[in-house]
Amino acid sequence: MTENDDPGADVDILLHRLDPDLPVPSYAHPGDAGLDLLAAAPVVLPPGGRATVPTGIAIALPRGFAAFVHPRSGLAAKHGITTLNAPGTIDAGYRGEIKVILVNTDTRAEARLERGDRIAQLVIQQVASARFTEVERLPGSDRGAGGLGSTGGYAIAEGAH
Ligand SMILES: O=c1ccn([C@H]2C[C@H](O)[C@@H](COP(=O)(O)OP(=O)(O)OP(=O)(O)O)O2)c(=O)[nH]1
Ligand SMILES: [Mg+2]
């Protein structure tokens, strides 16, 4: 068995193309975590600007799953374009068009994306639903309440921010 035919953690998901002229989004390589989402319309992002971009697809995730709209690292590294609400959350019950909220973090350059460009990637994951039990005191742990940098290790000099 090669990586190409190992089913891994495959899950069947119903997909509806609202824009049948665009291809169904697909994984670039077998085993990739993210499948690229396409822009269904051209978009111009002024420096610092944002836009909500249609992808032309809607999906029906099985209960117990969610999809997350992640940025593409190439767009981020080369052009400063990322997803504003990263990662965007697609709920299992959502049947509307998947939209990508892009932001151009470059303060000087306008960004132009064409219809059909790969603008973000969708990661499908299993998620748990919480059943909360309220208590007066939580069980202890090694970390306790330490967070937000409690373990240290920053290269930035004190007073620099
Ligand atoms: O990047 C995103 C994020 C969300 N959605 C859709 C699917 C998701 O299920 C729905 C709601 O998203 P979220 O809960 O993040 O937004 P909200 O502001 O809380 O809206 P709502 O009140 O509809 O839950 O919007 C997208 O298409 N793209
Ligand atoms: Mg919500």
Side-chain angles (χ1 to χ4, degrees):
M1 187 179 281
T2 70
E3 64 170 359
N4 293 319
D5 52 31
D6 181 348
D10 291 2
V11 57
D12 292 316
I13 293 172
L14 300 175
L15 178 145
H16 175 62
R17 263 193 289 177
L18 302 153
D19 186 337
D21 294 334
L22 284 178
V24 172
S26 60
Y27 294 98
H29 305 103
D32 278 1
L35 55 89
D36 288 334
L37 294 171
L38 310 177
V43 55
V44 179
L45 296 165
R50 67 174 184 267
T52 299
V53 186
T55 63
I57 61 158
I59 58 175
L61 290 163
R63 177 91 194 262
F65 284 79
F68 298 97
V69 181
H70 286 262
R72 293 189 67 208
S73 58
L75 279 178
K78 290 182 198 148
H79 304 288
I81 296 170
T82 187
T83 51
L84 183 57
N85 57 332
T89 304
I90 310 299
D91 298 290
Y94 181 68
R95 299 289 179 269
E97 181 173 19
I98 295 178
K99 306 258 178 72
V100 176
I101 306 167
L102 289 179
V103 60
N104 177 11
T105 66
D106 197 295
T107 52
R108 289 181 300 275
E110 177 184 87
R112 284 176 177 273
L113 296 159
E114 304 300 333
R115 175 180 151 83
D117 280 351
R118 293 173 295 147
I119 53 170
Q121 55 184 327
L122 197 67
V123 177
I124 313 288
Q125 289 186 285
Q126 274 187 297
V127 292
S129 289
R131 276 193 310 266
F132 288 122
T133 302
E134 191 179 4
V135 293
E136 289 302 320
R137 190 181 296 270
L138 295 172
S141 74
D142 190 39
R143 174 174 281 271
L148 304 176
S150 66
T151 61
Y154 298 101
I156 301 166
E158 284 296 325
H161 51 87

